[in-house]
Amino acid sequence: MTHRMVEMKPESRTRWLRGVSAPGAKIRLVCFPHAGGAAGAFHDWAALTPPEIEVKSVQYPGRQDRLSEPCAATMEELADAITAALLRELPDDRPLALFGHSMGSAVAYEVARRLDEAPGRTLARLVVSGRARPRTPQELAPRPAPADREILDHVRELDPEGAATYEHPELRPLIMPSLRADFGLLAAYRPTPLHRLGVPVTVCGGDRDPGCAVEELSSWADVTTQGVDVRVFEGGHFYLNPRKEELVGFVASRLS
């Protein structure tokens, strides 16, 4: 894989999207962060991809430079707003691919099902990571939003090192609201019916992820008519941090 060797352009920002513009790119990869996460999780992906791929990342409301905005209350609200932003802010006809990690996988899927039906837009591939496919109400009933203690216990299990951030007395009031909102959104999210996409789905995961067992990754075959391929990396739920170059290279190869 050839990394970008040219001088990087300044980051372009809109309300919803972050990333370096690449006018000569043939395809756009739009990345969706995990619960409580922000667009900065993908800030260096552009430098690891070949020049034919433009990388954008989604900034959810209620965090970082959108801290003053209310977090999305439902998955439908969030996916509708992101889809509208993509159609408005990426007006040309270059194909789109979506990558989501953990909660971002569910958000990316919901945006993909909307783009799949949007006239004049080409959705090339959905890439999901660290999460089983969404469950319907018949499979798993919606749950009440978890209490903060439950959220933090789950975060400590998934990301023991990063969980220390939520214990910091000055940072916790800034980051808990978005984490609380995202976990509440996921607790209530049960799509019905389950939409089958007309594009292939690539599924990634860590071999020691306590939140998503390897055998659950293949469940994404239920949401596409075009087949899935699964790639397992060494690591836990946040395997994508130490395995970043390997993961980005693999994703780029699936978009070639």
Side-chain angles (χ1 to χ4, degrees):
M1 180 182 68
T2 302
H3 294 172
R4 297 181 197 270
M5 301 302 293
V6 297
E7 183 179 355
M8 301 300 291
K9 294 190 175 184
E11 180 177 308
S12 61
R13 287 173 174 263
T14 67
R15 183 169 170 236
W16 285 93
L17 298 175
R18 308 288 180 270
V20 177
S21 296
K26 298 178 181 178
I27 188 170
R28 285 191 174 101
L29 174 65
V30 181
C31 301
F32 297 74
H34 57 279
F42 305 101
H43 74 94
D44 53 357
W45 276 40
L48 299 174
T49 58
E52 60 265 24
I53 301 174
E54 179 179 275
V55 180
K56 298 288 186 180
S57 52
V58 175
Q59 185 75 304
Y60 305 141
R63 60 214 75 199
Q64 293 186 340
D65 58 338
R66 300 187 68 185
L67 191 63
S68 62
E69 299 179 47
C71 296
T74 66
M75 179 66 78
E76 291 73 19
E77 174 191 340
L78 184 60
D80 283 348
I82 294 171
T83 304
L86 293 179
L87 294 175
R88 180 180 64 249
E89 297 167 9
L90 303 176
D92 62 51
D93 59 358
R94 275 181 282 183
L96 291 174
L98 310 182
F99 173 89
H101 177 66
S102 197
M103 167 183 150
S105 293
V107 182
Y109 164 70
E110 284 295 329
V111 173
R113 66 188 292 181
R114 288 158 171 78
L115 291 174
D116 203 29
E117 299 170 345
R121 302 300 301 211
T122 301
L123 180 65
R125 182 176 294 268
L126 173 66
V127 186
V128 292
S129 167
R131 190 174 185 85
R133 67 130 167 106
R135 303 303 180 188
T136 66
Q138 292 75 29
E139 295 172 303
L140 185 66
R143 304 186 302 270
D148 285 2
R149 182 184 298 273
E150 296 175 81
I151 294 172
L152 290 174
D153 285 347
H154 189 60
V155 169
R156 291 187 190 100
E157 180 184 22
L158 296 182
D159 186 18
E161 295 180 5
T165 303
Y166 297 96
E167 307 298 340
H168 196 287
E170 295 181 358
L171 294 178
R172 187 168 175 175
L174 298 176
I175 54 184
M176 274 306 298
S178 63
L179 196 65
R180 188 182 301 123
D182 290 350
F183 270 77
L185 178 154
L186 288 171
Y189 169 57
R190 297 292 182 274
T192 183
L194 200 64
H195 178 81
R196 292 177 72 86
L197 301 169
V199 297
V201 176
T202 294
V203 190
C204 303
D207 63 358
R208 300 187 304 277
D209 185 346
C212 181
V214 169
E215 55 267 25
E216 292 185 285
L217 298 175
S218 60
S219 65
W220 286 94
D222 296 336
V223 306
T224 176
T225 62
Q226 300 299 310
V228 300
D229 60 300
V230 177
R231 172 69 178 270
V232 179
F233 295 82
E234 181 181 353
H237 188 68
F238 285 98
Y239 73 91
L240 70 173
N241 295 326
R243 298 290 172 185
K244 185 180 302 181
E245 289 198 22
E246 185 180 354
L247 171 63
V248 175
F250 171 70
V251 172
S253 73
R254 306 310 292 149
L255 305 184
S256 299

